[in-house]
Amino acid sequence: MLSDSLRPGGDITEVYQLYGSMLFKIAMVHLGNKQDVEEALQETFIKLMYKSPPFTDREHQKAWLIRVVTNQCKNMQGSLWRRRVIRMEDMDEYFEQSSDRSLMDHVIKLPFKYKAVIHLFYYEDYSVRQIAGILQISESAVKMRLARGRQLLKMDLESEVES
């Protein structure tokens, strides 16, 4: 028998306590400011209450939430207003060392498809197979995006050192 938190419209508080922090970090990487992140999380949890499928287990629920928040961030980034404004003022409090923040600044500059896989792989410790399932792309696409994302990061970091 599924617990109430795995049912559509189940215990939202429990789900938020389990995954809210992780979803917040994922959204922060994509959006860069607290207000937009809160809006993305709100939309994600509304979808959880009203549009979620029946979940088979916690991992299924977690993967669905990551996919929804990632898509919500992507949709928000697509707006004309959003493309013109980049706010990073709320990021500092999420990093223990300034070097971590500096690296995250470079990750955030990556195109969306690379930043999504880089964050899930390196910051959330998901495997290539898990990322493929979450983002609904092939494992080879995940590997290619990781390789290209790392290459872009390397070029960006090298150009920073040279200047």
Side-chain angles (χ1 to χ4, degrees), residues 63-89:
W64 185 88
L65 287 165
I66 292 170
R67 187 176 322 117
V68 170
V69 79
T70 302
N71 287 338
Q72 181 64 34
C73 292
K74 193 176 187 180
N75 292 342
M76 290 173 71
Q77 283 185 316
S79 74
L80 181 60
W81 180 86
R82 176 75 192 149
R83 277 185 256 157
R84 292 184 181 176
V85 176
I86 299 174
R87 294 176 287 177
M88 307 301 283
E89 68 273 2

Side-chain angles (χ1 to χ4, degrees), residues 4-20 41-42 44-50 52 55 61 64-65:
D4 286 341
S5 65
L6 294 176
R7 299 180 193 283
D11 185 0
I12 298 301
T13 304
E14 180 183 343
V15 175
Y16 186 81
Q17 288 173 345
L18 283 171
Y19 307 120
L41 288 181
Q42 181 178 352
T44 299
F45 280 92
I46 287 171
K47 288 178 182 172
L48 176 65
M49 290 188 306
Y50 297 109
S52 65
F55 300 109
Q61 183 180 45
W64 185 88
L65 287 165

Side-chain angles (χ1 to χ4, degrees), residues 2 6 18-19 22 55-67 124-127 130-131 133-134:
L2 294 173
L6 294 176
L18 283 171
Y19 307 120
M22 176 198 61
F55 300 109
T56 55
D57 58 23
R58 290 237 182 258
E59 281 304 310
H60 180 214
Q61 183 180 45
K62 184 177 178 182
W64 185 88
L65 287 165
I66 292 170
R67 187 176 322 117
E124 300 297 333
D125 294 322
Y126 278 96
S127 69
Q130 290 170 318
I131 295 169
I134 289 168

Side-chain angles (χ1 to χ4, degrees), residues 26 30 63-64 66-71 74 112-118 120-121 128-138 141-142 145:
I26 290 170
H30 294 294
W64 185 88
I66 292 170
R67 187 176 322 117
V68 170
V69 79
T70 302
N71 287 338
K74 193 176 187 180
F112 188 86
K113 65 183 181 178
Y114 302 129
K115 125 173 70 178
V117 296
I118 293 281
L120 290 172
F121 188 79
V128 168
R129 174 173 281 169
Q130 290 170 318
I131 295 169
I134 289 168
L135 299 178
Q136 296 182 330
I137 58 176
S138 69
V142 172
R145 289 179 185 186

